[in-house]
Amino acid sequence: MESRVIVVTSGKGGVGKTTTTANLAAALARMGKKVVAIDGDVGLRNLDVIMGLENRIVYTLIDAIDGACRLKQALIKDKRIENLSMIPTAQSKTKDAVTADQMIKVCDELRADFDYILVDSPAGIEAGFKNAAAGADEALVVTTPEVSAVRDADRIIGLLESMEKSPIRLIVNRIKPHMVKKGDMLGVSDVLDILAIDLIGMVPDDESVVRSANTGEPLTMSSDSPAARAFKNIASRLVGNDVPFMSLESADASGGLLGKLKRALGL
Amino acid sequence: MSLFSRFFGKEEGSGKTAKDRIIMVLMQDRADISPELMENMKRDIIAVIKNYVDIDEERIELDLEKENTSVALVANIPVLTVRRRKRRV
């Protein structure tokens, strides 16, 4: 199988890029794929704690790039799941510590050993994001159903398109179905109308995400919470399976139907 | 936004407001219509209209508005007096 390098990005911070990266990496590994997740957020290292691997860091991505170690030495093998590895970044350096060319080289080198290379991008649209995305073939854009997050997603999608990433697919995170039902939150269909890219998953707002971040165990390793199922479904769609979208859709559809009715009545 | 949708706005919930706002914001982002450009356009429109009618320049509203699926440039220009035209006898 040809390996795929996928950047997980969003524009806006705090919408769930790192959580998404960690959960998809774990889910793909559980499906038997060889996976490595790279922390692309130099200076603001987070993927290690979300994946619960912070105590096992010896070398970082930056050390490998600087030639202080081989790339394989920076790889941390997750002992809980076979086939899952992580490459941490440096906490002490700044975003200038990596160049786009170096990221491309790292990603290409990893293709030899992994099926999926997931790069967790920093927030923003500057060099950090561009470097993280440089080596990627395709992109996952994470957003939440909020005005600011959707706006930033639109900006990022434009940049990813100009970088010729393909496909670019959307994950709508932290949906509160009851609020969507009441019409007090954007539904997935609204977000899709606006951004006009393919949807690969929607993830309900779920307290289990907070607990999993507390313990450093990605949900897709063991949990069967709604968010865990949503992330597993996304992983399955990434691999190419045709997985129907979860029942969140029905919550969304009711709001959408009401909207359509009102529009039909000219309201 | 029409009077009707304003009237029924409460019933629709803030999700609808969010969608309308994003669409407006993205329209500007994508078209790169900066507030400065809007101001310039406003100034030029005022200059033209002033040739015909006296208007209240302070109270002019110029906005991009979304009506169903189309976008309109909507101007609200309060007219103070209409100038008397010189008429040929």
Side-chain angles (χ1 to χ4, degrees), chain A residues 108-119:
Chain A
D108 284 344
E109 196 178 329
L110 291 167
R111 283 178 204 265
D113 296 314
F114 294 95
D115 301 319
Y116 286 86
I117 298 140
L118 302 183
V119 187

Side-chain angles (χ1 to χ4, degrees), chain A residues 151 154 183-184 186 190 193-194, chain B residues 13-15 19 25-26 29-30:
Chain A
R151 179 194 206 171
D154 187 73
D184 270 331
L186 290 168
D190 295 325
D193 276 357
I194 294 162
Chain B
S14 58
K19 187 173 184 180
V25 163
L26 288 189
D29 287 357
R30 288 172 182 172

Side-chain angles (χ1 to χ4, degrees), chain A residues 16-70:
Chain A
K17 280 180 300 293
T18 305
T19 302
T20 301
T21 308
N23 278 291
L24 292 184
L28 287 165
R30 276 190 62 181
M31 293 167 72
K33 306 293 177 189
K34 282 185 259 172
V35 186
V36 58
I38 305 176
D39 193 336
D41 197 351
V42 183
L44 288 172
R45 178 162 92 192
N46 270 328
L47 186 62
D48 56 336
V49 283
I50 296 295
M51 293 183 74
L53 299 171
E54 70 273 19
N55 292 327
R56 299 192 40 216
I57 297 175
V58 181
Y59 293 110
T60 68
L61 175 68
I62 310 302
D63 294 324
I65 285 172
D66 289 347
C69 70
R70 282 175 292 114

Side-chain angles (χ1 to χ4, degrees), chain A residues 175-187 247-248 250-256 258, chain B residues 11-12:
Chain A
I175 303 161
K176 298 177 195 277
H178 67 283
M179 287 192 77
V180 176
K181 232 180 248 174
K182 274 198 305 188
D184 270 331
M185 182 175 255
L186 290 168
S247 60
L248 261 165
S250 62
D252 182 29
S254 66
L258 195 69
Chain B
E11 229 173 85
E12 276 169 339

Side-chain angles (χ1 to χ4, degrees), chain B residues 8-39:
Chain B
F8 285 94
K10 258 190 189 152
E11 229 173 85
E12 276 169 339
S14 58
K16 176 75 171 61
T17 313
K19 187 173 184 180
D20 289 343
R21 289 181 61 220
I22 297 172
I23 290 170
M24 295 307 303
V25 163
L26 288 189
M27 208 145 33
Q28 293 191 359
D29 287 357
R30 288 172 182 172
D32 230 353
I33 300 181
S34 61
E36 191 190 352
L37 198 146
M38 284 292 274
E39 270 312 304

